[in-house]
Amino acid sequence: MTAASSPTPGLRIRKAAVLGAGVMGAQIAAHLTNAGVETVLFDLPAKDGPKSGIALKAIANLAKLSPAPLADKALAASIIPANYDDDLDHLKDVDLVIEAIAERMDWKLDLYKKIAGHLSKTAIIASNTSGLSINTLAEALPEEMRHRFCGVHFFNPPRYMHLVELIPTRLTDKNVLDGLEAFLVTTVGKGVVIAKDTPNFIGNRIGVFSMLSAMYHTDQFKLGFDTVDALTGPALGRPKSATYRTADVVGLDTMAHVIKTMADTLPDDPWHQYFKAPVWLQGLIDKGAMGQKTGGGFYKKVGKDIVVLDVAKQDFRPSEQKPSDEVAAILGIKDPAEKFGKLRASTDPQAQFLWASFRDLFHYSAYHLADIADTARDVDFAIRWGYGWKLGPFETWQAAGWQQIAEWINDDIKAGKAMSNAPLPAWVTDGRKGVHGKDGSYSASANADKPRSQHPVYRRQLFPDPILGEKFDTGTTVWENDGVRLWTLGDDGIGIISFKTKMNTVNDHVLDGVQHAIKLAEEKLKAVVIWQTGEPFSAGADLKGALGLLKEGRFDDFEKMVTNFQATSMAIKHSLVPVVSAVRGMAFGGGCEFQMHSARTVAALESYIGLVEAGVGLLPAGGGLHELAIRAAKANPADPFEELKKVFETVAMAKVSASAFEAKNLGLLRDGDVVVFNAYELLYVAKQVANALAESGYRPPLPANAIPVAGDVGTATFKASLANLQAGYFASPHDIEIATRIADTLCGGVIERGSTVDEEWLLALERKHFVELAKTEKTQARIAHTMTTGKPLRN
């Protein structure tokens, strides 16, 4: 363990083993491998073929899954397949074992007995069970190992769901727990919630109850499954899959199993009578309709249409999925108190459904808070991070007016309208305004407010995910205009540039602002980080402004804007203080080009980076092509074309990386750029990198005056490959024109192969081709279409 004063991870895990190569086990192994942990994936010995065939098949299957569990498909080769007969020796040098086999207590206990003798004296053992008792599982281990055992419950899919529930037993060593929390937060990139050892823990206990409540009220108010999904999705700040689509994705058999676990393990729960699969859910399962994995459940695809089950007709009908006009208007109200008041007062069955579902969720969460979680914050984070809600149940209640909602819940309990007549706990109506406040979040078991965890790992999160009403120090403004703010956080001399535009797009104010901020940084600061206060990093150039200039025929102004774009990239590249880009989410077009010109990029794993201009009929002209040409020449001065081949397709096909690792493969990030797994640690790491560059005597690259280029021979070779695409109808004539201009710019124009050019030559080529494309009707049509529909036009 590291000293408590150091905000660095406390557990050094070189090698891990995952027991069970099912859906969750294989994907946990994949994500540990993403994080650079050597991982052995175990399963039963196969009856036929190679003995580790089950694990081998699971590893091969990772490449087919969507969304992709692996951040780079090549990582699959690093996962070691194993079986329990031949390979238990692998366990002697693993630091962490995660068991992820089927939810059968007897099977898990047998497996623990089998592996115990093969583990080192320091290995940590954890179960990924979604609801079995962690204390009972610990009893299968030898006594000297029990202090190193706990629950580590990942949510599906493990790479993308932020939540991991960490469940200690009565005997788990605090150092083991703290070390594992640091490892999960920093190395694996997760949001950790400490849960009590109760059935289904926090996320599934509350989340599954919310789904059961919605299912019960679907019946009560006689609503269609598609209507319920229209009401319980983005309209409430929840994922598009809402209620019934989520059940289809999870698998109806899995859903029924989780409900049965609740029924079996929570006999004294006042809501116990509702812990059963509704008749129509069981009916679908009996027919083998398990949801998405069997081609249909509540929904199925017929041709291009999505149809939904109509219980009354016992048949499928076209899915409509929209709320009534009255409820749509109520859901559009910004003030939560007014919204909830109107939902409760309305006679529309959809409004009554929503009020009833919220009422029972609030009632259930408050009643069980003391049993299942240390604080209300843990419940809200578990639901936000594990189920993708914008606000957790307690945050939603507090925002809507705590005491008024509590009074209405009490009225409904007395009137027999609530699902249970269990009383609200006394603390709910003690005059409080909510459960989150300046002193922390309410702990029902301690009857006190508790601040956030003091674990050293959280010092790395300068702006953690805020709970309702939480405010963090937003630093000191050095300078700002309408486009950007230059500010500092603390006294480390590192400036932060944040954009102020919608989606952090780039317009004239941003371009001028970045250039001015860098000049000020050169005078007053030691380094600069470009970091946005929220995702995305940047959606690229402001197309609306660009199209306006084109439509008005103001081509000179349009060219000036492009020149200014390039000047901004050059200001970033040649700044006398290091400029570090901290990227998370989308970095498209100009956003991608800015990070390409930074001294270094620090990118969150979930960074989706691309030079996407070809999709709107243009080419990158913020210096992106010029930078790729320079990098190719540096990598292979004798034949830059060999390097250009790797990036030409990336740009011509407007490819976007599906991770920061893939961005390196596509040539959009450099090998030396840093990948961070927890996006909330991004600013901390970027500032550390910027500081290290400054302290090491940073100097910007000298202007490149003799760049060898591939010339007209390179362009001609690219054009030959494009001819094949056009012949096969894979590309339109306009696609070919765009790609040809990209090739010409990358190769340095119509000059001899091996000639040398300077940076300005390449920048001028970019501008020329960009402006000429922008003048064409087809490109203007593409820009307009993308702005209107959000989708590319092939013309």
Side-chain angles (χ1 to χ4, degrees):
M1 304 289 161
T2 53
S5 61
S6 165
T8 53
L11 197 66
R12 304 294 179 194
I13 290 178
R14 185 183 299 280
K15 189 173 182 181
V18 177
L19 312 180
V23 174
M24 281 301 283
Q27 293 198 58
I28 291 169
H31 195 55
L32 289 173
T33 306
N34 288 338
V37 177
E38 185 184 7
T39 303
V40 188
L41 179 62
F42 278 89
D43 211 296
L44 295 165
K47 291 189 173 68
D48 304 305
K51 207 82 174 284
S52 297
I54 295 173
L56 278 163
K57 190 175 176 185
I59 294 165
N61 193 48
L62 290 170
K64 300 172 192 163
L65 294 177
S66 178
L70 290 163
D72 177 353
K73 282 185 180 171
L75 287 169
S78 300
I79 304 172
I80 303 162
N83 70 84
Y84 301 122
D85 277 5
D86 300 344
D87 302 314
L88 290 178
D89 260 7
H90 270 300
L91 294 175
K92 69 178 186 296
D93 59 350
V94 302
D95 306 303
L96 172 66
V97 176
I98 297 176
E99 168 271 306
I101 69 168
E103 292 289 84
R104 282 271 302 266
M105 181 71 79
D106 53 341
W107 292 359
K108 289 179 190 284
L109 298 180
D110 282 348
L111 182 58
Y112 294 0
K113 285 171 186 158
K114 189 170 194 171
I115 66 162
H118 295 269
L119 295 169
S120 75
K121 288 184 166 53
T122 54
I124 290 170
I125 311 104
S127 175
N128 183 57
T129 177
S130 56
L132 296 177
S133 166
I134 301 298
N135 279 289
T136 306
L137 288 170
E139 286 163 18
L141 291 166
E143 206 165 319
E144 68 274 12
M145 294 174 77
R146 291 178 193 170
H147 69 284
R148 291 182 270 124
F149 178 77
C150 62
V152 174
H153 180 218
F154 285 82
F155 273 61
N156 193 17
R159 172 181 159 190
Y160 300 94
M161 297 310 290
H162 192 56
L163 178 65
V164 169
E165 291 174 316
L166 198 51
I167 312 102
T169 69
R170 289 183 292 275
L171 301 173
T172 308
D173 186 308
K174 187 177 184 303
N175 286 335
V176 166
L177 208 65
D178 285 350
L180 202 46
E181 184 170 4
F183 169 75
L184 289 165
V185 171
T186 290
T187 307
V188 190
K190 296 300 165 193
V192 170
V193 166
I194 309 287
K196 295 186 180 182
D197 186 17
T198 53
N200 287 10
F201 313 127
I202 302 173
N204 283 340
R205 182 75 175 271
I206 301 297
V208 173
F209 176 81
S210 174
M211 290 181 78
L212 280 171
S213 164
M215 287 177 173
Y216 171 73
H217 292 302
T218 301
D219 260 356
Q220 295 298 296
F221 296 103
K222 302 195 168 20
L223 300 179
F225 301 130
D226 51 341
T227 302
V228 170
D229 279 355
L231 296 170
T232 58
L236 296 184
R238 298 181 191 173
K240 281 193 291 196
S241 54
T243 302
Y244 292 102
R245 279 185 191 276
T246 297
D248 273 354
V249 170
V250 168
L252 304 193
D253 51 342
T254 305
M255 184 82 199
H257 174 77
V258 174
I259 295 167
K260 185 176 184 306
T261 302
M262 287 179 81
D264 293 347
T265 54
L266 296 164
D268 302 325
D269 193 301
W271 283 262
H272 184 266
Q273 67 186 48
Y274 303 103
F275 299 165
K276 58 179 187 283
V279 177
W280 27 262
L281 175 59
Q282 194 56 53
L284 284 167
I285 294 168
D286 293 344
K287 286 180 187 168
M290 306 293 183
Q292 197 168 280
K293 62 188 172 189
T294 58
F298 293 109
Y299 295 90
K300 67 178 181 181
K301 204 168 182 187
V302 178
K304 288 188 176 174
D305 300 322
I306 302 288
V307 293
V308 64
L309 179 67
D310 187 315
V311 173
K313 294 178 183 168
Q314 287 289 297
D315 200 1
F316 285 84
R317 60 169 172 76
S319 171
E320 289 160 3
Q321 199 154 342
K322 63 178 199 297
S324 67
D325 292 346
E326 182 187 338
V327 170
I330 295 173
L331 291 175
I333 295 168
K334 289 270 190 289
D335 175 31
E338 185 188 347
K339 185 187 297 186
F340 271 86
K342 291 217 159 132
L343 284 175
R344 188 166 190 267
S346 171
T347 55
D348 186 311
Q350 293 183 18
Q352 292 175 330
F353 162 85
L354 282 170
W355 162 251
S357 298
F358 273 113
R359 173 199 65 216
D360 294 318
L361 171 64
F362 296 158
H363 186 187
Y364 192 81
S365 302
Y367 185 87
H368 286 297
L369 175 59
D371 314 329
I372 66 170
D374 188 34
T375 69
R377 179 176 52 245
D378 296 324
V379 173
D380 282 340
F381 278 152
I383 292 298
R384 274 166 46 173
W385 296 342
Y387 281 76
W389 295 14
K390 282 203 175 129
L391 290 178
F394 289 119
E395 290 176 296
T396 306
W397 180 351
Q398 183 168 326
W402 186 270
Q403 288 303 333
Q404 176 63 81
I405 296 284
E407 190 182 308
W408 286 339
I409 295 170
N410 263 330
D411 290 347
D412 281 9
I413 293 170
K414 286 175 193 158
K417 291 180 179 177
M419 284 169 77
S420 166
N421 61 4
L424 276 173
W427 61 263
V428 170
T429 50
D430 64 3
R432 67 178 50 252
K433 289 183 178 174
V435 288
H436 303 301
K438 64 180 187 329
D439 297 323
S441 296
Y442 184 66
S443 169
S445 51
N447 191 27
D449 288 338
K450 290 192 177 182
R452 277 180 176 263
S453 167
Q454 292 303 297
H455 191 305
V457 76
Y458 296 112
R459 291 182 213 156
R460 298 168 61 88
Q461 298 188 14
L462 304 179
F463 290 89
D465 197 359
I467 206 81
L468 184 75
E470 246 182 336
K471 295 278 188 288
F472 303 111
D473 178 7
T474 54
T476 306
T477 301
V478 177
W479 175 84
E480 66 184 321
N481 69 352
D482 288 342
V484 307
R485 175 183 178 231
L486 172 66
W487 53 289
T488 53
L489 190 64
D491 57 1
D492 55 11
I494 295 169
I496 302 165
I497 295 174
S498 301
F499 299 177
K500 293 160 72 171
T501 48
K502 189 178 177 184
M503 298 284 284
N504 299 319
T505 52
V506 181
N507 60 15
D508 287 335
H509 298 300
V510 170
L511 296 172
D512 294 341
V514 170
Q515 289 176 57
H516 187 67
I518 287 172
K519 275 186 190 143
L520 286 174
E522 288 176 334
E523 292 166 21
K524 302 179 178 181
L525 301 165
K526 67 197 271 192
V528 170
V529 171
I530 302 176
W531 177 81
Q532 314 299 7
T533 54
E535 288 186 21
F537 178 72
S538 174
D542 171 19
L543 288 175
K544 189 178 175 187
L547 189 62
L549 294 174
L550 294 173
K551 289 282 184 205
E552 291 166 25
R554 293 164 57 193
F555 297 115
D556 286 350
D557 288 338
F558 184 78
E559 185 158 4
K560 277 181 195 157
M561 184 192 78
V562 182
T563 305
N564 201 25
F565 221 121
Q566 292 181 335
T568 307
S569 290
M570 293 303 102
I572 291 170
K573 182 173 183 175
H574 295 291
S575 164
L576 289 170
V577 295
V579 179
V580 171
S581 286
V583 174
R584 56 182 166 167
M586 294 182 295
F588 290 171
C592 175
E593 289 173 299
F594 286 169
Q595 67 80 25
M596 286 173 74
H597 287 86
S598 305
R600 194 81 84 252
T601 295
V602 177
L605 178 72
E606 301 308 331
S607 292
Y608 312 116
I609 302 174
L611 293 169
V612 297
E613 287 85 350
V616 289
L618 293 165
L619 51 71
L625 295 179
H626 129 283
E627 183 63 20
L628 289 172
I630 290 173
R631 289 183 191 179
K634 270 190 185 164
N636 191 341
D639 188 6
F641 184 77
E642 281 306 306
E643 295 299 314
L644 292 174
K645 280 197 296 196
K646 298 172 189 172
V647 292
F648 172 66
E649 197 175 293
T650 298
V651 185
M653 295 182 73
K655 285 186 179 179
V656 174
S657 73
S659 72
F661 290 161
E662 199 173 294
K664 288 191 176 190
N665 295 339
L666 292 174
L668 301 171
L669 285 180
R670 296 154 291 199
D671 287 343
D673 288 334
V674 179
V675 179
V676 171
F677 271 60
N678 195 318
Y680 295 108
E681 295 185 348
L682 186 67
L683 180 58
Y684 171 86
V685 177
K687 288 182 83 179
Q688 297 284 328
V689 169
N691 187 60
L693 286 169
E695 290 293 333
S696 60
Y698 176 81
R699 293 294 301 172
L702 293 167
N705 295 321
I707 305 156
V709 292
D712 48 11
V713 175
T715 307
T717 311
F718 280 135
K719 279 178 79 173
S721 65
L722 292 171
N724 295 335
L725 280 178
Q726 192 170 4
Y729 300 103
F730 294 113
S732 71
H734 198 53
D735 291 331
I736 300 299
E737 181 175 355
I738 299 159
T740 302
R741 289 175 182 272
I742 289 168
D744 187 68
T745 310
L746 286 172
C747 295
V750 188
I751 54 175
E752 270 187 47
R753 181 181 191 166
S755 302
T756 58
V757 300
D758 60 16
E759 290 193 57
E760 185 43 54
W761 173 278
L762 292 170
L763 291 169
L765 262 179
E766 262 189 10
R767 287 196 302 273
K768 169 174 128 3
H769 285 308
F770 187 85
V771 173
E772 284 174 5
L773 277 172
K775 288 178 179 177
T776 66
E777 274 181 36
K778 286 193 169 173
T779 285
Q780 289 181 29
R782 285 191 182 195
I783 296 171
H785 186 269
T786 301
M787 281 175 52
T788 312
T789 66
K791 292 176 183 170
L793 171 69
R794 292 295 300 278
N795 58 359

